[in-house]
Structure formats: structure tokens, C-alpha cells
Amino acid sequence: MTKYEISDYVKKGKRMDGRALDEIRPIKIEAGVLARADGSAYIEWGQNKIIVSVYGPREALPKHIQNPYKALINYTYRMATFSVPDRKNPRPARREIEISKVSGKALESAVFLERFPNTTIDVFVEVLDSNAGTRAAALTAASVALVDAGVPMKDIVASCGVGKAGGEIMVDLDKDEEDAPDAVDIPIAILPRSEEITLMQMDGRLTRDELKKVTKAGIESCKKVWEIQKDALKRRYMESETEMPEETSKVIR
Amino acid sequence: MSNSSNIIWDLQANKVTDFLKEGKRIDGRKLDEFREITVTKNISENADGSARVRLGATDVVAGIKIVPDTPYPDTPDQGTIAVGAELLPIASPEFEVGPPREDAIELARVVDRGIRESGCIDFKNLCIREGEKSWVVFIDFYVLNHDGNLFDASSIAALASLLNAKMPKLEDDKIVRGEYTGNLELSCKPLLCTFAKISNKIILDPMFAEEAASQARFSMASTEDNCLIAFQKGGSGTFNAKEVEEMAETAIKKSKEIRKKL
């Protein structure tokens, strides 16, 4: 059994931490935080703390992995050993490998890959502290880091979790809510301008009617996250002497 | 050799796309039609449950081994399941020998989620002695021939083998080989349905040539009570909210047809 009874998750429309059902935890994003990387971002999303760096486009090696038509995105999501309650084995777990795969794919439709044949764009994610929703937070920060690297993009991928706990549809579940007996967890990522879904995973139990509601709530939350991403990128150039590159100004408009 | 076969698949992919422009598939199927499914149960005597599934030319065997182990500290009164996928070099020229890579890991984890989250196996029933011993149901499947849609073929094979799985007999915490105490209890039948998106058309059960032509994939597990259990979007393309709802409806409907064959 979990620490809380089902009814504790939702009381009169409020959640255990006082949030409304459609309220995302506080998010802070900072772009351009690492000197050696081509692009980088740091995100705090509730208790989640994640740092992301981007290298490239650079020559894809070994040569046989090169695609003569487009760039590859190589996304590596890892959690630090101390980022979870029990020490995590530093060896990449199956979960991390799967998240890396789907997250990399989720970014592909946002990037003008065909402009950089035979190259790779490497995205490295390190989770430093976690409390549910790290893949969405990481993907959100990774998009900012890609823009920060000057990679030409069609749109910024924005991501957020959505789901169900204690019988209620809610956004951005924290760990206690994810541990609810009836919890359903659905990370979603979208291209905010077109509302096209680039990442969607789910485990739990949903009716078709509930699916409609969570998809809608997920898209709305992603759009809120998008505003925070754009804001972080604007701040990056307000405080620095460098001019905002044209590619960046296009994507955050 | 392998280069020339890639060109053949590129040409096949072009053909798939051309056909779909007229709403047709290269093998004449409807957009929401599965290939022929053949299920053979009990293909391995040493396994506690097993099945071989052919989905068109895609061919997967699954086997169950139920093994006593120490329960996780946070769930002392429960057993668990462990799902593994092997993409054998037998099955395709692009599969290599060695530990599972990301494709096999994703495949195993998506099949795992469908089974785990449906609650079809009550993990509390797998408890032997609280905090000391519980059963682990290992579900391992091996792809023998890859002609696309490994997700659904593996999901059907996993469920078919669970449906004939037997609980081993235990004496002094050791398994008595060849003796069983009964069947593994299953309370529902979760099944995956996988779709591919090819130039804005969505098709069910993509074969290899169709996967080669596709931009995105979506897998959905559902149960007979019309509940959606697990999703996985794959590939670099995108879906909109309406397409997700339509796929959910098709997945629930089509998995009912497959369930009748099990």
C-alpha cells in the first residue's frame, strides 16, 4: 500500500500539495548554462533538476551510421545514482534506454534534419534530482538546449505529464500521485504551433472518454510549458551581449 | 549483399506509399485489417507455458518460466513479471548477435506494460511467503522472422503462452520438475494493436515494407472491457488528438477479433 488513501489525492478539487488539477508544478528554465557545449539548458520542475547539453550537428561516427539525407539525433537520458531515493545502479537501465529512444524520435520532427546530412546532433540529459515527470522535463529542457545551440528548428517541442489519480484527471503528476493505486501516467510532447503529438506513452487504465480528456489537458499543459521555454530563450539573450541568432528568433516568435 | 537488399526495401516502400495514395495496401488488405494470425500453443515441453504466433510472415515464439525468488522490499507480499525480447539474427539480416539493444528493449517494455498494467496477473497471488519468497513469471519471446509489427505478434504470443501457463509445484522452496499445482490465473486478456502512419494515412498491422515507408508508429494495449492500458508512440512523425482517439477505437474493436483466436 502507498502512504496515502485514494481520497487523499484529491480533496475538493485540490491536490495533496495544494495544486489545482490543471496546475503544473513551478518550472524554471535557464538556457546556455554550460561553456563547452554547443547548446545547453538547466531545468527545475518541482523537485526535478535536470541538465542538458547539445553538441552538433557534427560528423556522425563511425561512418557507417551516417545518413546521406539527414542528420541523426542521438539522445541519451541518464539518471545520476543519487537522483532517486535508493541508489541507482550507474549502468543504463532498460527504462533509460527506452526513454532515450522515444525522446530522440520526439525531437526529430521539430528539427530541419535534412539540412545536415551525414551528421549527428547529440543530446545528453543528466537527471540530478527526481520526483516523477523527468522524461517530460528533460525533453522540455532538451528543446531549449537545441535552440540554444543554434540548430534550425520548425518548432520547440514542449512536454508535460498528464494522467489520473484518485479518480480525477490531473496534469503533471508527482511521485505520490503516480503511486496511487489507480494512477495513470501519460507523458505527452507536442509541436505547440500545430498541436501535433510527437511523444505519447501511457500505462494504467483509461476509458475512451477519459482518453479524450487527458489528451486535451495534456496539449493545454504543453502549451503552458512552451511559454516558459520561450521566456527562457528570450532571457538568455537579454542578459548577454550576443545578438539573438535569426534561427532562434524565428522559433520563439 | 545487404546493400542491394536495402535498395529493394526502398523500392518496396515507394510502392507502399504509391498504393496508399489510392487507399490501397500492397497485399490488398483494408487499412484496418490484420494479416492472417495463426496461434500454436505448447510448442515447448520444458516451458511452463508457450506459444508460437504467425502474423502473416512475422513469426514469434514465446515461453514462460515461473521461478521462485525474493520479493522486492517495497512489495513483500507480491510476485512480479519480467518480460524479455530477443531479436534473433535468424529473423532478419539487420539483427545481430549480442545483448538486447534499444529496439528489443522498447519492444519488451511495451509488451510488459500491457500485461502488467492490465492487472491480468494478480501479483499478490504470486506471493509464496510474505517478505521471503514469491514467484517471478518470466515471459521471454524470440522473433524468428521479421516481416513487420513485432509489437502485436509478440503481444499475442505472450498472451497465448500465459493462457496455457501452469504453476510449478514447490517443495522445500525447490521446484519439482514436471509437476504443477494448477493453471496461472489470468483475470483479463490485454492485447496490443499497432498502427503506422504513412503520408497521412494510418494503417493497422504494418508489414516490413510498410514499416520501411512509415514516418510514425503508435501501439495501444486494451482489454476486453474496452479499457486502454498502455500506449507507445514511436518514430519521428506525429499524430493529432483526433487520430489518437480513432486509433483507440480501432484498437479496442480489433483486439476483440484476435481474442477469439486464443
Side-chain angles (χ1 to χ4, degrees):
Chain A
M1 266 316 281
T2 47
K3 284 188 282 184
Y4 301 90
E5 293 299 318
I6 298 178
S7 57
D8 288 335
Y9 290 93
V10 187
K11 270 182 183 143
K12 294 180 188 137
K14 286 274 181 192
R15 292 150 74 173
M16 279 189 294
D17 58 359
R19 279 188 290 156
L21 295 174
D22 63 349
E23 190 178 342
I24 305 170
R25 288 172 284 182
I27 299 176
K28 276 191 278 183
I29 306 175
E30 206 180 325
V33 292
L34 299 171
R36 293 292 309 277
D38 295 324
S40 59
Y42 172 72
I43 188 167
E44 288 187 10
W45 182 318
Q47 189 195 330
N48 294 318
K49 295 179 188 68
I50 299 164
I51 194 154
V52 181
S53 75
V54 168
Y55 293 91
R58 57 185 180 184
E59 187 184 14
L61 291 171
K63 260 196 149 69
H64 69 85
I65 66 165
Q66 293 183 354
N67 184 325
Y69 301 106
K70 59 175 192 175
L72 311 168
I73 290 186
N74 177 27
Y75 190 104
T76 309
Y77 166 101
R78 295 288 185 267
M79 293 186 97
T81 53
F82 50 80
S83 67
V84 278
D86 293 326
R87 181 177 186 265
K88 196 204 147 283
N89 186 325
R91 223 184 87 195
R94 300 207 309 171
R95 174 180 169 276
E96 291 166 301
I97 293 166
E98 186 204 337
I99 290 175
S100 300
K101 185 184 175 193
V102 295
S103 303
K105 289 291 175 194
L107 290 172
E108 283 189 9
S109 52
V111 180
F112 288 103
L113 297 172
E114 59 286 355
R115 290 199 201 164
F116 305 100
N118 298 321
T119 67
T120 172
I121 300 168
D122 294 310
V123 182
F124 296 106
V125 169
E126 197 65 38
V127 178
L128 305 174
D129 199 359
S130 70
N131 184 314
T134 55
R135 83 190 68 181
L139 196 48
T140 296
S143 307
V144 172
L146 278 172
V147 180
D148 181 52
V151 175
M153 295 177 64
K154 301 166 195 168
D155 205 348
I156 304 174
V157 174
S159 183
C160 188
V162 58
K164 193 174 106 175
E168 295 278 355
I169 305 285
M170 56 178 73
V171 308
D172 188 26
L173 280 69
D174 65 19
K175 190 79 184 79
D176 286 325
E177 288 161 345
E178 250 184 26
D179 288 342
D182 69 335
V184 181
D185 176 31
I186 307 163
I188 291 187
I190 64 165
L191 302 174
R193 288 168 209 237
S194 61
E195 299 190 1
E196 286 282 318
I197 297 167
T198 74
L199 177 141
M200 189 169 188
Q201 296 177 284
M202 190 260 271
D203 40 23
R205 194 170 256 276
L206 277 189
T207 64
R208 276 175 53 205
D209 196 42
E210 289 171 326
L211 170 64
K212 242 182 209 174
K213 288 181 190 154
V214 294
T215 313
K216 188 164 169 279
I219 289 172
E220 279 167 14
S221 307
C222 288
K223 287 193 146 180
K224 290 181 194 165
V225 172
W226 181 41
E227 296 301 326
I228 303 169
Q229 290 174 302
K230 287 191 287 188
D231 185 55
L233 285 160
K234 283 177 198 160
R235 268 190 289 115
R236 157 97 168 90
Y237 291 98
M238 254 194 282
E239 291 153 13
S240 107
E241 286 162 20
T242 16
E243 282 273 306
M244 183 185 288
E246 204 197 328
E247 291 290 356
T248 309
S249 62
K250 267 191 227 161
V251 79
I252 64 172
R253 241 195 320 256
Chain B
M1 273 305 280
S2 62
N3 277 338
S4 65
S5 70
N6 282 344
I7 290 165
I8 290 169
W9 287 113
D10 283 350
L11 293 171
Q12 283 274 322
N14 290 343
K15 191 176 160 192
V16 166
T17 311
D18 288 344
F19 268 60
L20 271 174
K21 280 181 192 144
E22 289 161 31
K24 288 181 188 151
R25 296 174 78 168
I26 51 169
D27 60 353
R29 274 186 292 158
K30 293 192 200 97
L31 301 193
D32 65 349
E33 189 178 346
F34 267 104
R35 287 168 287 178
E36 194 182 328
I37 300 167
T38 324
V39 181
T40 319
K41 289 193 183 176
N42 292 319
I43 52 114
S44 166
E45 275 190 50
N46 275 316
D48 298 324
S50 60
R52 179 169 182 171
V53 168
R54 290 182 182 86
L55 176 59
T58 290
D59 196 344
V60 177
V61 290
I64 311 277
K65 278 288 195 185
I66 305 178
V67 177
D69 203 344
T70 317
Y72 292 122
D74 54 342
T75 51
D77 61 341
Q78 294 176 27
T80 190
I81 62 168
V83 180
E86 294 284 346
L87 304 180
L88 300 180
I90 290 174
S92 168
E94 59 270 16
F95 294 164
E96 288 169 27
V97 181
R101 300 186 187 185
E102 60 174 23
D103 288 347
I105 289 170
E106 183 190 21
L107 175 61
R109 283 179 56 87
V110 173
V111 172
D112 178 305
R113 283 211 284 278
I115 295 166
R116 186 182 299 269
E117 300 296 331
S118 74
C120 66
I121 299 173
D122 184 347
F123 287 180
K124 292 205 166 139
N125 285 346
L126 301 177
C127 178
I128 301 167
R129 275 196 319 282
E130 189 169 334
E132 286 179 36
K133 274 271 175 287
S134 63
W135 295 106
V136 181
V137 179
F138 284 92
I139 307 164
D140 292 302
F141 46 86
Y142 292 76
V143 178
L144 303 183
N145 192 61
H146 179 14
D147 189 26
N149 198 7
L150 299 180
F151 283 86
D152 296 358
S154 305
S155 154
I156 299 166
L159 180 60
S161 50
L162 284 173
L163 283 169
N164 65 51
K166 300 183 291 283
M167 292 302 297
K169 190 177 169 187
L170 208 60
E171 250 174 38
D172 302 326
D173 285 348
K174 293 224 163 53
I175 288 179
V176 185
R177 294 280 166 214
E179 289 188 44
Y180 296 94
T181 57
N183 294 330
L184 174 70
E185 272 181 52
L186 282 193
S187 63
C188 63
K189 296 174 185 171
L191 277 174
L192 274 179
C193 281
T194 296
F195 303 85
K197 191 170 182 179
I198 303 168
S199 50
N200 284 321
K201 291 242 171 37
I202 292 176
I203 56 165
L204 179 67
D205 180 29
M207 49 202 271
F208 192 88
E210 291 172 327
E211 284 183 351
S214 76
Q215 291 85 44
R217 156 169 63 74
F218 213 113
S219 301
M220 294 179 161
S222 61
T223 46
E224 54 266 52
D225 59 356
N226 302 335
C227 270
L228 299 155
I229 302 299
F231 292 169
Q232 181 87 337
K233 191 238 134 191
S236 56
T238 61
F239 294 91
N240 63 36
K242 188 166 162 274
E243 288 167 339
V244 172
E245 281 164 32
E246 286 166 359
M247 287 188 288
E249 187 184 345
T250 309
I252 287 171
K253 192 174 86 188
K254 289 291 166 177
S255 57
K256 284 188 199 300
E257 293 173 16
I258 301 175
R259 245 171 239 119
K260 287 181 196 152
K261 295 175 193 278
L262 298 176

